[in-house]
Amino acid sequence: MPVPTIEWKDEHVRIIDQTLLPAEKLFVSIDTAEAMWEAIKLLRVRGAPAIGIAAAFGIYLGIRDFAGEDRLAFDRRLNEVCEYIGSSRPTAVNLFWAIDRIQALLKRYEDRPVQEMKKLILEEAREMVEEDNRVCRKIGEHGVGLVGEGCSVLTHCNAGGLATARYGTALAPIFRAHELGRKVHVWVDETRPLLQGARITAFELVDTGIPATLITDSMAAWVMSQKKVDIVIVGADRIACNGDTANKIGTLGVAVAAKNFDVPFYVAAPVSTIDRKLPSGEGIPIEERDPEEIKHGFGRKTAPDAVAAYNPAFDVTPAAYIHGIITERGILRAPYKKSIGTLYDTI
Amino acid sequence: MPVPTIEWKDEHVRIIDQTLLPAEKLFVSIDTAEAMWEAIKLLRVRGAPAIGIAAAFGIYLGIRDFAGEDRLAFDRRLNEVCEYIGSSRPTAVNLFWAIDRIQALLKRYEDRPVQEMKKLILEEAREMVEEDNRVCRKIGEHGVGLVGEGCSVLTHCNAGGLATARYGTALAPIFRAHELGRKVHVWVDETRPLLQGARITAFELVDTGIPATLITDSMAAWVMSQKKVDIVIVGADRIACNGDTANKIGTLGVAVAAKNFDVPFYVAAPVSTIDRKLPSGEGIPIEERDPEEIKHGFGRKTAPDAVAAYNPAFDVTPAAYIHGIITERGILRAPYKKSIGTLYDTI
């Protein structure tokens, strides 16, 4: 079983610093909203569900030391902290989902004293960890039917245990298949520029005893053309109401190749990743990261200083490429506008 | 104008060590067949045409010190050297094209004395440099019609000046368009695992004053989906008689994305890259390189030791994805079996 990615322990938040994996397995204590903002920004904690949880704890840390009993001032301060935490990675919908949850608490308990509110916010963040564990286990159960004996799965980036509180989304059906004793194999895209696949997904799989083969992102089409991949499962950073899915840059290329070589392409994500305000993928803002991540990776200059570089963190895969979206409430199928709509009608 | 990649100078071969680019521009003198074998193996010299020339010089270096006038013994020794040089990169067809040329000399001049043969072999190698320059200029002229004012070209790996003796194949039409005063822009795939795009193509373009933007290989599909690419031009390591093309790993993924997003996909290569003995791409052996190139790139561990890695150096793009093959004798079009056949009928 994977170690917890993020947890509340001895009055602080404990995370694994994922920027150091696989060379070092370092746990870091986070005590302030500023430290959490930085941890999210620098990808020490990453993956949509884990970011949501980190945001909730970050908000708590930002108001933990609020003095006095002025509830109005407290609410004002809390909203400032929410805005601040939201600025760490503006593309991550789970960040705002977490912020919305905390702000809903404010409204629900508008008559409660400041000290009690603090306690309620911490409880909410801790409940989010428990919820995430339940949700990921459910995703694993709903998706495990796609991962039969001898199945070879290709995945991009990391939507494993370390992207969530513990069990993962895209990897959850694989972990579950492994638990059931099925022989499975995973092709791991290394996922440039930050190598979350090579560093994190490969680490998790090896750690759990699941056979995995690392490839560069550019090899995925070739491996699929050789009929060595039975299914692609990736995570999601944000899903629009029509099923268009924003995920780590490179996902679109994998989806296009999968379509071309008739490999079923699935997204696995909690329902919280669906942005109900977003009708289609066209409205998704694409975070552009520092070009130096491409030009100076790995502590070494890999390109001439004078060349420009473009570094979008995400791309958007149109719903037409997606065979299904594996959620904790079952596998959603096209037309997604309808299946996603039904999901909310029955909540 | 780019500096010469490989040339005969002061009784030795001078090459640029491309494994050190862009950090260092180091010229290396090569004096023995063993040093040339290593330079080819370790990609100090790389790119199909440049490898052919390097092989010819390597063969000369291997027999330069042959003593005596026993022509039979000389021929035997020469064939040994050819076999040895051929083992440096068995997938590179230009290696064998160069070996065939030298062996043809042996037959053509079977009555000549050993000392004269040595001179003829050196002259042949030097003529190959001149020929390559003429061929690349011609490729540029035939391809420049595809690269109009304001054109944005995407390329993968390096098929630029440094892949040939001097002027390049895939980059030749771009260099020519630039010479004609056209404003052009190039998207450069970094080309994992060895980053020939980031290190070499980006270096050449910036050096020549052509605007270029570096991306990771995984971004190509996204950039194409955004309609930011007008044409893809890549080189080739080996072309079968039906047009199937082996080129640097990742080329297939680019071709699949180009087809999906309606971007014309061209291969640029000298006619010598066509393997007349090869009816289709299925017969092309795929060189597998050391997995450590993926797991320990850039002088740093990027993946856990325990994970497996697959590292094919090439993939094969089926002819159906290729809009045209730009050669020194014009642009070949589908059906390639016919257009390639016509080429040889009229030699």
Side-chain angles (χ1 to χ4, degrees), chain B residues 169-325:
Chain B
T169 54
L171 295 194
I174 299 165
F175 286 139
R176 185 73 191 123
H178 180 70
E179 275 176 13
L180 294 174
R182 294 181 198 160
K183 279 206 184 77
V184 294
H185 168 260
V186 185
W187 292 98
V188 180
D189 274 4
E190 64 172 4
T191 317
R192 282 281 289 150
L194 297 180
L195 299 175
Q196 291 91 339
R199 295 189 297 105
I200 304 172
T201 302
F203 170 82
E204 277 188 38
L205 291 168
V206 160
D207 210 46
T208 323
I210 298 172
T213 306
L214 183 65
I215 53 175
T216 64
D217 306 323
S218 62
M219 292 169 192
W222 174 244
V223 171
M224 286 191 240
S225 78
Q226 302 290 293
K227 304 197 186 308
K228 290 177 178 167
V229 179
D230 298 306
I231 185 174
V232 174
I233 310 180
V234 298
D237 284 85
R238 191 183 282 207
I239 300 173
C241 290
N242 69 343
D244 291 352
T245 295
N247 191 45
K248 180 57 58 201
I249 186 72
T251 303
L252 175 64
V254 173
V256 166
K259 182 184 160 207
N260 193 72
F261 295 113
D262 289 322
V263 179
F265 178 92
Y266 282 83
V267 169
V271 168
S272 61
T273 314
I274 299 169
D275 185 345
R276 294 178 70 187
K277 293 174 201 146
L278 202 67
S280 84
E282 277 172 45
I284 299 178
I286 301 297
E287 175 191 355
E288 277 191 40
R289 299 181 60 83
D290 188 346
E292 294 306 302
E293 286 181 353
I294 300 179
K295 293 171 63 181
H296 281 83
F298 319 99
R300 209 185 188 185
K301 178 158 122 170
T302 55
D305 293 325
V307 76
Y310 171 57
N311 188 13
F314 303 99
D315 56 27
V316 178
T317 299
Y321 297 81
I322 301 170
H323 274 60
I325 302 174

Side-chain angles (χ1 to χ4, degrees), chain B residues 97-154:
Chain B
W97 166 80
I99 291 169
D100 287 350
R101 267 181 80 147
I102 302 292
Q103 286 179 328
L105 272 188
L106 279 196
K107 283 203 189 118
R108 202 180 321 145
Y109 302 109
E110 57 183 1
D111 53 345
R112 303 292 172 88
V114 166
Q115 295 314 314
E116 191 182 337
M117 282 315 295
K118 287 186 186 176
K119 212 181 282 177
L120 285 169
I121 290 167
L122 177 59
E123 273 167 23
E124 187 75 4
R126 298 184 72 175
E127 169 55 21
M128 283 162 76
V129 173
E130 294 309 314
E131 255 178 53
D132 183 81
N133 288 342
R134 286 193 297 272
V135 161
C136 290
R137 298 297 284 182
K138 279 278 181 200
I139 290 174
E141 277 159 32
H142 287 298
V144 75
L146 301 166
V147 185
E149 174 67 23
C151 187
S152 205
V153 186
L154 186 142

Side-chain angles (χ1 to χ4, degrees), chain A residues 22-23 156 187-188 190 192-193 195 198-199 202-203 206 212-219 221-223 225-226 228 249-253 256-257 259-261 286 294-295 297-304 306-312 314-317 321, chain B residues 22-23 156 187-188 190 192-193 195 198-199 202-203 206 212-219 221-223 225-226 228 249-253 256-257 259-261 286 294-295 297-304 306-312 314-317 321:
Chain A
H156 188 76
W187 293 98
V188 180
E190 64 173 3
R192 281 283 287 149
L195 298 175
R199 295 189 296 105
F203 170 82
V206 161
T213 306
L214 182 65
I215 52 175
T216 65
D217 306 324
S218 61
M219 292 169 192
W222 175 244
V223 171
S225 79
Q226 302 290 295
K228 290 177 178 167
I249 187 72
T251 303
L252 175 63
V256 166
K259 183 184 160 206
N260 193 72
F261 296 112
I286 300 296
I294 300 179
K295 292 171 64 180
F298 319 100
R300 207 182 188 188
K301 178 157 121 171
T302 56
V307 76
Y310 172 56
N311 188 14
F314 303 100
D315 55 27
V316 178
T317 299
Y321 296 81
Chain B
H156 188 75
W187 292 98
V188 180
E190 64 172 4
R192 282 281 289 150
L195 299 175
R199 295 189 297 105
F203 170 82
V206 160
T213 306
L214 183 65
I215 53 175
T216 64
D217 306 323
S218 62
M219 292 169 192
W222 174 244
V223 171
S225 78
Q226 302 290 293
K228 290 177 178 167
I249 186 72
T251 303
L252 175 64
V256 166
K259 182 184 160 207
N260 193 72
F261 295 113
I286 301 297
I294 300 179
K295 293 171 63 181
F298 319 99
R300 209 185 188 185
K301 178 158 122 170
T302 55
V307 76
Y310 171 57
N311 188 13
F314 303 99
D315 56 27
V316 178
T317 299
Y321 297 81

